[in-house]
Amino acid sequence: MSILDFPRVNFRGIFKTNPCTANNDDVMPSVVTRDTNDLGLDLQGKSDNSALTYLNESVEMHNYDDPPGAKKFMRSGWNPSGDHFTSFENTTVQSVVYSAGCSAVASDQDALVGVGFEIIGSPNPSGSRSSGPIICDLDPTGLVSTQLFVGGIHLFHQDGQGNKTTLFKALHDTRGFQNWLNFCSTLPETGTQYSGEQNFVGIGCVWQFVVPQDKLPAYADCNLDSPGLEALLSAAQQAGGLAIRFRCYEVEPGYTDDYLSKTAEEQGFPAPNPAYGYLIGTIGIWNADEPQSETAGRKLEAHYRTADPSQYIAPDDPDQGRPSMSWSAGPGQTATTVSGCIYPWMGAPALIGNAVALIQPDSPVISLDILESFPKYGFRNPNGPVLNAPPEGFDHPKKKAYVGEVELAVIPSGGGAPIPVADIEYGYNDYRSYEDFGGIVDLPFDANKIPRETLANGQLILRGKTDSPLNAGIALIKETIIRVVTDDRTAYIAPERTDYPLRVKVYQRGGPTTQDVTLYLKEYKTVIQLKGNDTCASPRNVYRTNQSVDSRTEPITVADNPPQCPPSQPAPNRLIFPDSVTIPAGTTGWITIPVSPNIAQDPNGGTAVFAFQQDENYTYGTIPPAAPGGQPTLGMAGVPMWSTKNYCSVRVFGSEDFSAMYQKPGGLQWNDVYEHALRYYYLLFPAMSVYIPLNYASSITSPYSASLIKQRLNTPDQPAFYSTLNMPVTRTLSPARVKLILDFIDQSQSNQNA
């Protein structure tokens, strides 16, 4: 089972997210110290007021190429006043799919259609203010580890005044993780480019989380007469629970940088700047032995060759490089060609995203998850926000980019030409067929022409039909025969922790393996690399982070500060782990890989990407040699892990000793606690001080604040750390600093009671 099974409930609406960006060091690396919750050299030595002024200044950044040249940014990013709250806005159920070809698309067919749907925060035991769902990065330097903390799901009716009547509520603290990242999820209209405020609006990604069956209400307790909801809950109770899988894309900040600068000048800090995007998703069945973070089934993805990355691969070599792909506004329209990548580790041609297939056991139907597979054509706001009154542009017509006529095919196990299975309607002809059905298509096939055995043992591909005007015969994505998944997409590890368990599972064509599978384990670390033809003397804001440098083999080539190249030096591992693990054929359960922090070599801790690879010699991020007759390429080599997802992002908290602070006359001093544990958040997360001002000892130790902090300031070994109520929402405060704050509060309260 998976969300591809029946029944399914599909929804769509608007995705709203309000993350704080002041700690994102890809905007200005020296504002923060990489991988820790410490201020960077640009802020050290400044007073609080001077630091806040510095953070809110408008500056030119020269490290963007779309469009080329300098762009204006606030130094602390596009949303320095964000509170990390994330929500589904104006989101309603669009359809109920009972079985292949049998669905309800109107409320008179099933009362579940039209019902409101939202994600909610964790229940608050004290009755004080409760947060909503929280989005945050485990690693503020990157894109591979964004996570969404959720406290449950809610189905409701809403009247004209906005009052909600609960129909269904399930409470469960869980997380979804950014998956299937695609940087060209929305493509510009032919001959144009997006020219708005930020460079990430074309990105789309997929998320999934589950609610286990023991947290679901009984249908009799739901205030709704719906055969779809009854069938869904019945199937979920018999399986493992419900999976909620959704896509957000074309997520754009609501305000321009000029507007943010103006509000900063007027009120001392910029206005919060939530971003809004399209939202499409599905509520489906989850089996207890399936991954919680990805759609279960047979995965198709952009293919690349895991070979010796030092070998130059010619762009026209069909066996080793990737083919070019084309797209247009429609048949007969001027086409744009996306060149195939000449280096397999530089990521797929960012045009077609991943898919997952499930051959239905009881009927000749293949259900195909193409939620992230095909790009949208044209931006809703091609010039960025205009009115500074978000959200904008959601009433504009929507269409898919035309990539030709597409089909699902299978390559027989013995090889040979692909056999067509079924045509795919991916939403080009009718966008609502895509967005109203959760990006899932059910494809009938002729079992007399294509035996199940052929499908079961072959390799599925999604390709352009041989007579297609575009991409004729090109395999756009191919099935990954051996699929590796992990639900431990992020991990927080205390310095004293040993043998932290990371779980992985291996599938072959969506089922048990028929051969032993060896996974080679590698740690990749964020470092600064040169971009383009920059030199060591270039301004430091042209340096870009690279999240895919093998810690065991790659040197650090450029330091954060000062902007001169240091001597080449190895990047120490942050983790201790086995070099490989072999999973025996037929293994169906989860395999645990123990990892431990390498505090002896790297006492400061930090973040790393931990990859589960099937090729021992493959190294992401290695800068390849020049093409024959060409010049060497410097800079960021790309991160294929964004699309393959065989990885875990790990944060190792540093080994910090604050014992000397406890020995001072009078015990802990406020200045020490503020400087080492709270100043970082006061300067970089102004939304926190809206509720508890962090720069006054009396604020921290007041009865209300002290009680709230004690309740919500948790470490990774405590369950509340993973709720939406945790402080700080970024979860970057080390256990040693948590203890420092709590001990200071206890000391203050003890002195008051003496």
Side-chain angles (χ1 to χ4, degrees):
M1 285 187 173
S2 74
I3 63 159
L4 295 175
D5 216 318
F6 303 111
R8 301 190 293 260
V9 174
N10 304 301
F11 59 88
R12 65 179 171 93
I14 294 175
F15 181 79
K16 176 185 177 182
T17 187
N18 193 33
C20 181
T21 59
N23 70 331
N24 290 10
D25 73 350
D26 60 336
V27 175
M28 178 57 69
S30 44
V31 163
V32 294
T33 301
R34 179 160 290 99
D35 297 332
T36 71
N37 57 335
D38 287 316
L39 300 174
L41 292 184
D42 280 5
L43 293 186
Q44 293 176 17
K46 292 183 183 293
S47 67
D48 285 358
N49 289 338
S50 296
L52 291 171
T53 299
Y54 178 81
L55 288 168
N56 292 332
E57 288 176 348
S58 181
V59 295
E60 284 189 352
M61 300 298 234
H62 299 270
N63 52 4
Y64 290 90
D65 297 321
D66 50 352
K71 298 184 77 171
K72 287 281 189 180
F73 286 87
M74 291 202 67
R75 196 185 301 276
S76 49
W78 59 269
N79 193 22
S81 297
D83 58 14
H84 294 269
F85 286 8
T86 298
S87 60
F88 293 178
E89 303 285 308
N90 303 323
T91 298
T92 55
V93 172
Q94 299 298 307
S95 66
V96 180
V97 180
Y98 307 105
S99 61
C102 181
S103 62
V105 294
S107 58
D108 59 355
Q109 298 171 328
D110 193 307
L112 189 55
V113 178
V115 163
F117 176 63
E118 64 183 355
I119 52 176
I120 55 180
S122 305
N124 193 330
S126 69
S128 59
R129 180 184 178 279
S130 177
S131 79
I134 295 293
I135 198 170
C136 71
D137 292 334
L138 178 141
D139 173 10
T141 69
L143 295 165
V144 297
S145 58
T146 305
Q147 51 197 331
L148 180 64
F149 291 80
V150 177
I153 58 175
H154 184 212
L155 288 165
F156 58 91
H157 278 314
Q158 184 167 306
D159 63 22
Q161 285 72 47
N163 301 309
K164 297 176 181 179
T165 300
T166 294
L167 305 174
F168 168 110
K169 182 181 287 187
L171 299 175
H172 176 58
D173 286 338
T174 185
R175 281 183 289 172
F177 304 97
Q178 172 188 276
N179 271 328
W180 299 3
L181 192 66
N182 188 336
F183 275 76
C184 288
S185 185
T186 299
L187 299 170
E189 295 185 11
T190 304
T192 68
Q193 62 182 355
Y194 178 80
S195 57
E197 294 299 300
Q198 302 290 338
N199 71 335
F200 59 77
V201 179
I203 295 177
C205 67
V206 175
W207 311 73
Q208 181 172 299
F209 62 88
V210 306
V211 178
Q213 58 90 15
D214 63 340
K215 299 297 178 68
L216 298 174
Y219 173 67
D221 296 330
C222 298
N223 187 24
L224 190 68
D225 181 11
S226 163
L229 182 59
E230 183 177 17
L232 183 70
L233 285 175
S234 176
Q237 294 287 0
Q238 296 176 45
L242 291 179
I244 295 86
R245 188 278 276 115
F246 63 93
R247 178 191 182 208
C248 60
Y249 60 105
E250 209 172 315
V251 180
E252 178 185 74
Y255 299 139
T256 64
D257 284 304
D258 287 342
Y259 180 81
L260 292 182
S261 297
K262 178 181 178 181
T263 60
E265 292 174 0
E266 292 175 347
Q267 58 192 25
F269 55 89
N273 188 21
Y276 300 82
Y278 293 105
L279 171 70
I280 297 174
T282 297
I283 308 171
I285 309 303
W286 173 70
N287 222 357
D289 62 348
E290 291 175 347
Q292 297 188 31
S293 58
E294 291 188 58
T295 303
R298 297 172 65 168
K299 183 182 174 186
L300 289 74
E301 63 183 20
H303 48 291
Y304 60 92
R305 194 187 76 155
T306 54
D308 180 1
S310 65
Q311 178 183 354
Y312 173 73
I313 295 176
D316 57 352
D317 185 340
D319 295 326
Q320 299 186 39
R322 293 197 191 89
S324 299
M325 298 180 188
S326 300
W327 58 276
S328 67
Q333 302 291 315
T334 301
T336 300
T337 298
V338 179
S339 299
C341 295
I342 59 175
Y343 303 115
W345 53 91
M346 290 182 70
L351 188 59
I352 308 298
N354 297 333
V356 174
L358 173 69
I359 303 174
Q360 295 291 350
D362 302 323
S363 60
V365 171
I366 298 178
S367 297
L368 190 65
D369 181 357
I370 55 170
L371 183 64
E372 181 71 348
S373 302
F374 295 90
K376 178 174 172 284
Y377 180 81
F379 289 89
R380 60 183 170 88
N381 289 326
N383 297 315
V386 178
L387 301 177
N388 287 319
E392 298 176 30
F394 287 98
D395 56 346
H396 291 180
K398 301 181 287 290
K399 65 181 295 185
K400 287 287 188 180
Y402 181 68
V403 297
E405 305 304 313
V406 178
E407 66 184 4
L408 182 70
V410 61
I411 301 174
S413 58
I419 302 172
V421 176
D423 292 353
I424 297 173
E425 169 52 61
Y426 55 88
Y428 169 73
N429 293 310
D430 180 5
Y431 195 89
R432 292 198 64 174
S433 69
Y434 162 78
E435 67 176 359
D436 286 354
F437 288 88
I440 299 173
V441 293
D442 295 310
L443 308 174
F445 65 92
D446 189 337
N448 294 320
K449 294 182 179 179
I450 309 172
R452 282 183 173 269
E453 183 179 1
T454 300
L455 293 171
N457 298 325
Q459 182 180 27
L460 300 176
I461 66 170
L462 191 155
R463 70 170 184 170
K465 297 179 66 173
T466 54
D467 59 352
S468 172
L470 293 180
N471 302 312
I474 291 178
L476 304 176
I477 53 176
K478 289 184 178 181
E479 180 178 5
T480 299
I481 301 299
I482 301 296
R483 179 184 182 185
V484 182
V485 296
T486 179
D487 284 336
D488 295 316
R489 291 291 308 282
T490 64
Y492 297 87
I493 304 180
E496 67 278 3
R497 178 68 189 262
T498 58
D499 294 341
Y500 185 98
L502 297 181
R503 299 188 315 151
V504 297
K505 195 168 188 177
V506 177
Y507 295 92
Q508 182 173 335
R509 294 185 176 88
T513 58
T514 59
Q515 60 191 26
D516 294 353
V517 175
T518 298
L519 300 180
Y520 299 94
L521 312 177
K522 286 192 176 183
E523 176 185 319
Y524 294 86
K525 186 175 178 179
T526 302
V527 299
I528 290 290
Q529 288 191 323
L530 295 175
K531 179 178 184 294
N533 295 320
D534 298 330
T535 68
C536 295
S538 298
R540 59 177 164 240
N541 67 356
V542 302
Y543 302 152
R544 298 309 307 273
T545 56
N546 186 344
Q547 297 139 301
S548 59
V549 173
D550 185 352
S551 293
R552 299 186 179 191
T553 61
E554 286 290 312
I556 298 175
T557 55
V558 181
D560 289 345
N561 288 286
Q564 289 89 29
C565 292
S568 180
Q569 53 185 313
N573 272 3
R574 289 193 168 134
L575 299 170
I576 300 171
F577 52 90
D579 289 335
S580 65
V581 59
T582 298
I583 301 173
T587 301
T588 58
W590 292 89
I591 299 298
T592 298
I593 300 174
V595 301
S596 301
N598 192 10
I599 294 299
Q601 284 193 26
D602 197 352
N604 294 325
T607 55
V609 174
F610 189 67
F612 313 105
Q613 301 180 194
Q614 297 178 50
D615 189 331
E616 182 178 13
N617 299 316
Y618 191 85
T619 301
Y620 295 122
T622 298
I623 297 177
Q631 296 296 318
T633 301
L634 297 176
M636 199 167 178
V639 186
M641 289 169 287
W642 284 341
S643 58
T644 63
K645 291 173 299 307
N646 302 333
Y647 69 88
C648 169
S649 288
V650 177
R651 186 179 192 98
V652 177
F653 290 110
S655 179
E656 300 166 306
D657 182 5
F658 298 126
S659 59
M661 298 180 188
Y662 290 79
Q663 308 305 319
K664 293 183 178 181
L668 292 173
Q669 305 298 304
W670 163 249
N671 287 341
D672 290 333
V673 175
Y674 179 65
E675 189 66 31
H676 287 89
L678 293 173
R679 186 171 187 250
Y680 174 86
Y681 298 97
Y682 173 71
L683 294 179
L684 298 183
F685 298 97
M688 293 181 65
S689 287
V690 171
Y691 307 104
I692 301 176
L694 301 180
N695 60 332
Y696 295 107
S698 58
S699 173
I700 299 299
T701 58
S702 70
Y704 168 80
S705 296
S707 174
L708 192 62
I709 291 172
K710 285 184 175 183
Q711 177 192 113
R712 298 195 181 186
L713 192 58
N714 301 284
T715 52
D717 58 331
Q718 298 171 309
F721 182 86
Y722 301 96
S723 78
T724 67
L725 304 176
N726 185 73
M727 290 183 179
V729 295
T730 59
R731 291 162 178 80
T732 51
L733 199 61
S734 71
R737 301 188 195 205
V738 167
K739 185 176 186 302
L740 195 67
I741 296 171
L742 295 178
D743 286 348
F744 179 76
I745 291 174
D746 286 343
Q747 174 186 287
S748 299
Q749 291 180 330
S750 177
N751 291 339
Q752 292 170 6
N753 295 330

